Amino acid sequence: MQGNDACAEGAIAAGCRFFAGYPITPSSEVAEQMARKLPKVGGTFIQMEDEIASMAAIIGGAWTGVRSMTATSGPGFSLMMENIGYAAFTETPCVIINIQRGGPSTGQPTMAAQGDMLQARFGSHGDYSVIALAPSTVQELFDLTVKGFNLADRFRVPAFLMSDEIIGHLRERVEFPDEVECIPPKPIREGMLPFEPEDDLVPGFTPFGKGHRVHVTGLTHNEKGYPASTDPDLHEKLVMRLVEKVERARHEIADYDIVNPDAEIVFISYGAPTRAVRQAFLDAPEKSYGHLNLRIVWPFPEDLLKKFKNARVFLVPEMNLGQIAREIQRHVDQPVIPIPRLGGELHIPAYLLKCAEEQE
Amino acid sequence: MSVEDWYRVDRLPHIFCAGCGNGTIINCTLEAVESLGWKIDETIFVSGIGCSSRAPGYISTDSLHTTHGRALPFATGVKMAKPNFNVVVFTGDGDLSAIGGNHFIHACRRNIDITVICMNNQIYGMTGGQGSPCTPKGALSTTTPYGMDENPFDLCELATAAGANYVARWTSYHVKELNQAITFGLQKPGLSFIEVLVQCPTNYGRRNKLRDVQSMISAMKDHALLKEKRDRLLAEGKPIPDGMFVVGTLTDRNRPALGVKQ
């Protein structure tokens, strides 16, 4: 099965019943599958006039208590930034699939890239935090879509599936479980206000039509949800909480594979380049390099880096000019060497081995 | 139930300027939903950004105050995900027809079953009086200090051409007619678009020799031409007097609609 189709299957399995999107290569198969499948399971598909509207529509859908999703690629992702900020600030659980392609601008519509990793974290104005997952197999595109919905609901944030054209269009064997775990957002407790956080800093969810009579606004708001945009302390407290509720869970929700933690030379990758690293390891069984594969990139699980106690150097193959390498360097004293690959094709395993050998 | 139940009284006082017409429109709308026996917990008010868009904050239903120009796609998401909700959008001329122009024509094309009430004050009021796509030719604003030299939109013609089932225009002077139009529009399957010209004494009137509220309302009353009268003039081959705008029910049809309650 193709990656994009597996993503749609994962969404349906996770109980997603509302999809709004706009066609864009190389993500369109996700929308096409959702258009086919949703009516058969009592859900709704709508093709919007652009990605700004798509993002707006899924936020509207999410507030009716329906799991909602959109899918796009770079140019559409840029257009979504406005309402992604709105979703973060209003604590709206929703899932955004980004099948990344070469940028900037129209770039390489049919070729892969990972150039939107920092945009996913910082792309909308103001401070906030989000969750970003990165699949490196078609199976993971299914599994992490399901997981994305659960994390979006638990933390009430937009969750991003930062995949790419390679995984999106790859055909691999996928096993669908008979049932997937779907954990809905926790409901609001009696006597609590709609934006009053519980101990985990996340407020209970108050979907429309249940008598909560909640006011949802993109203005700075108090715990009732009412605008309070000129109160400096309130604004600071709110923004700090929205960042903190995600960031302080970064080790608890971390999802990763570690190979050879005693190694001195360690690869760190996520998404498609993980495949090149794994192939390089198969090609050179005599080498004992280490590898950290991240399935959740944001919030960045920095403590994992400490598991490589003997690491002298970290090598970071990415299909961008070192976006996550820059994040890694913030947390370690050892050198972090980006191995960028632009142009749309994956790193060649032999080249990765050569980069590692240079560090021996 | 009474119309007062539809207000979020703990949010008062409101932020509208003295003499603003928006309160009249909110009142006409809430009287209409109340008279239809709509339920607070089945009704969602949605808005974008601007003076008009503050309205849902003063209404006791679940409400979504969204980003600039995007009220319609947010409302589309609510209505498509849960068609059993009654969805009403408050918007303004800048929000709807400038930054939200594309969403406006597509919502009308889909003929989605929501009611859109546009408070057209012909200016960007909240940001301090800049010109909008509905600022009349020659009018002064902070960004048209020598007079507006672009042509304004006719929002009702736009909505009709794009496919809305019901289109009407009134002013904040015509409260009775407006209340009837909203009541009709709320019940009509498909997209109902009601444009209401409202006075903005602070940021429009002040710069355009309509300094007080009374003169603004009088100007709207004097320049409103009933559709029936306009049709009669046209049939008789007589000219439409300068500076007049048409009020009344401009479109009423039953095209297939999207998101209609089951």
Side-chain angles (χ1 to χ4, degrees):
Chain A
M1 172 177 278
Q2 180 182 241
N4 283 344
D5 293 347
C7 173
E9 294 288 349
I12 300 280
C16 172
R17 292 297 177 267
F18 183 66
F19 182 100
Y22 186 83
I24 185 168
T25 305
S27 80
S28 298
E29 295 86 358
V30 181
E32 290 167 355
Q33 278 300 328
M34 295 303 275
R36 251 176 248 136
K37 304 251 167 177
L38 273 174
K40 294 180 183 167
V41 293
T44 305
F45 169 91
I46 187 166
Q47 183 171 322
M48 296 302 289
E49 53 272 21
D50 56 32
E51 289 89 346
I52 300 172
S54 304
M55 191 61 215
I58 69 160
I59 296 171
W63 274 99
T64 70
V66 174
R67 279 190 159 178
S68 301
M69 175 176 110
T70 187
T72 191
S73 190
F77 200 51
S78 292
L79 287 183
M80 287 179 183
M81 282 303 143
E82 175 191 43
N83 288 328
I84 284 169
Y86 182 88
F89 206 31
T90 55
E91 303 185 70
T92 307
C94 52
V95 172
I96 299 109
I97 311 294
N98 182 353
I99 309 296
Q100 295 171 87
R101 68 190 223 185
S105 191
T106 312
Q108 296 178 289
T110 61
M111 303 292 272
Q114 294 179 307
D116 309 348
M117 296 308 296
L118 288 180
Q119 189 183 20
R121 174 65 186 81
F122 298 108
S124 199
H125 54 278
D127 287 302
Y128 59 97
S129 201
V130 296
I131 294 172
L133 304 99
S136 61
T137 67
V138 174
Q139 181 72 50
E140 282 183 357
L141 203 33
F142 177 94
D143 296 339
L144 295 185
T145 301
V146 175
K147 187 169 192 161
F149 275 103
N150 287 335
L151 288 170
D153 276 354
R154 180 177 155 197
F155 292 96
R156 288 186 59 181
V157 288
F160 301 99
L161 236 82
M162 300 301 290
S163 191
D164 57 72
E165 190 275 336
I166 291 172
I167 310 300
H169 284 159
L170 187 70
R171 286 174 193 276
E172 279 184 325
R173 191 185 150 80
V174 187
E175 280 182 29
F176 296 150
D178 292 335
E179 213 177 317
V180 300
E181 191 183 30
C182 293
I183 309 160
K186 64 170 187 268
I188 189 166
R189 279 197 286 131
E190 190 77 21
M192 300 279 280
L193 295 169
F195 293 91
E196 185 179 354
E198 297 202 21
D199 291 343
D200 61 357
L201 303 183
V202 182
F205 192 41
T206 52
F208 290 171
K210 307 280 185 201
H212 302 300
R213 302 186 182 179
V214 61
H215 182 55
V216 181
T217 177
L219 282 164
T220 295
H221 44 275
N222 60 23
E223 291 179 344
K224 262 186 164 176
Y226 293 176
S229 61
T230 54
D231 183 335
D233 294 337
L234 187 144
H235 179 83
E236 183 179 24
K237 207 174 138 202
L238 174 58
V239 172
M240 297 289 273
R241 175 174 71 76
L242 296 183
V243 173
E244 201 53 26
K245 71 175 178 179
V246 178
E247 292 301 322
R248 79 176 193 183
R250 62 189 178 275
H251 297 116
E252 182 208 332
I253 64 172
D255 189 350
Y256 56 93
D257 306 304
I258 285 182
V259 174
N260 201 1
D262 300 323
E264 293 188 3
I265 298 168
V266 178
F267 284 95
I268 302 179
S269 64
Y270 56 91
T274 288
R275 304 175 72 90
V277 175
R278 285 181 177 150
Q279 186 60 47
F281 282 28
L282 289 173
D283 292 347
E286 71 284 6
K287 302 285 187 188
S288 54
Y289 303 133
H291 184 205
L292 171 62
N293 170 51
L294 296 172
R295 274 183 290 269
I296 291 186
V297 178
W298 302 117
F300 189 78
E302 69 220 38
D303 280 4
L304 294 180
L305 303 171
K306 298 193 189 102
K307 291 186 188 283
F308 296 91
K309 290 195 170 56
N310 304 325
R312 274 196 294 110
V313 60
F314 292 102
L315 300 174
V316 188
E318 293 181 83
M319 299 183 78
N320 59 48
L321 291 181
Q323 296 191 7
I324 299 302
R326 177 193 290 242
E327 172 69 18
I328 296 165
Q329 187 69 81
R330 292 196 323 123
H331 305 294
V332 297
D333 297 325
Q334 300 97 317
V336 175
I337 300 175
I339 309 179
R341 175 86 166 153
L342 300 183
E345 290 179 345
L346 198 49
H347 300 73
I348 292 163
Y351 179 70
L352 295 183
L353 289 172
K354 186 169 156 279
C355 292
E357 279 158 13
E358 282 169 9
Q359 300 301 324
E360 284 180 10
Chain B
M1 282 279 292
S2 74
V3 72
E4 283 79 22
D5 295 323
W6 289 84
Y7 280 98
R8 240 177 215 136
V9 284
D10 62 343
R11 278 278 287 134
L12 299 173
H14 57 70
I15 62 156
F16 302 126
C17 303
C20 173
N22 288 359
T24 309
I25 318 311
I26 300 172
N27 229 350
C28 284
T29 307
L30 295 184
E31 281 183 14
V33 294
E34 172 63 18
S35 72
L36 291 172
W38 279 18
K39 294 199 168 60
I40 288 178
D41 292 324
E42 293 172 1
T43 306
I44 316 290
F45 282 91
V46 184
S47 65
I49 293 294
C51 295
S52 62
S53 295
R54 289 305 193 98
Y58 303 115
I59 300 173
S60 60
T61 66
D62 289 317
S63 52
L64 202 50
H65 174 228
T66 71
T67 46
H68 195 23
R70 318 299 177 208
L72 286 169
F74 276 91
T76 300
V78 172
K79 187 64 176 169
M80 292 306 289
K82 283 275 171 77
N84 283 341
F85 284 143
N86 305 306
V87 180
V88 183
V89 172
F90 281 120
T91 182
D93 47 313
D95 192 53
L96 182 75
S97 72
I99 191 164
N102 197 30
H103 308 309
F104 180 36
I105 57 175
H106 283 278
C108 292
R109 174 183 63 79
R110 291 186 184 104
N111 203 17
I112 185 162
D113 188 23
I114 59 181
T115 301
V116 182
I117 300 167
C118 177
M119 304 175 188
N120 179 1
N121 58 7
Q122 307 180 308
I123 201 87
Y124 285 89
M126 185 160 278
T127 46
Q130 297 80 15
S132 92
C134 293
T135 301
K137 219 160 183 181
L140 298 178
S141 75
T142 57
T143 50
T144 57
Y146 308 108
M148 173 56 93
D149 55 1
E150 296 179 11
N151 299 314
F153 261 139
D154 183 324
L155 300 178
C156 289
E157 282 188 9
L158 197 56
T160 299
N165 255 356
Y166 177 74
V167 178
R169 181 190 289 119
W170 292 102
T171 79
S172 53
Y173 167 79
H174 301 89
V175 283
K176 203 171 155 196
E177 295 88 341
L178 175 62
N179 177 268
Q180 285 169 352
I182 295 174
T183 308
F184 189 85
L186 292 171
Q187 298 174 85
K188 181 92 182 174
L191 193 135
S192 299
F193 177 66
I194 297 137
E195 177 187 356
V196 197
L197 285 151
V198 292
Q199 72 278 11
C200 173
T202 305
N203 272 320
Y204 185 84
R206 189 158 58 100
R207 295 188 178 90
N208 289 284
K209 297 188 180 127
L210 295 162
R211 201 162 267 276
D212 62 288
V213 179
Q214 192 50 51
S215 55
M216 286 206 83
I217 294 177
S218 297
M220 288 193 292
K221 172 176 174 258
D222 296 343
H223 291 91
L225 178 65
L226 265 177
K227 178 182 176 289
E228 290 70 18
K229 192 170 176 190
R230 192 264 321 253
D231 291 349
R232 204 163 58 236
L233 288 172
L234 287 176
E236 292 166 2
K238 291 181 182 159
I240 309 290
D242 268 359
M244 301 292 277
F245 58 87
V246 182
V247 294
T249 299
L250 304 173
T251 302
D252 182 4
R253 60 194 173 194
N254 294 299
R255 289 185 177 178
L258 200 67
V260 179
K261 203 183 272 199
Q262 302 301 311

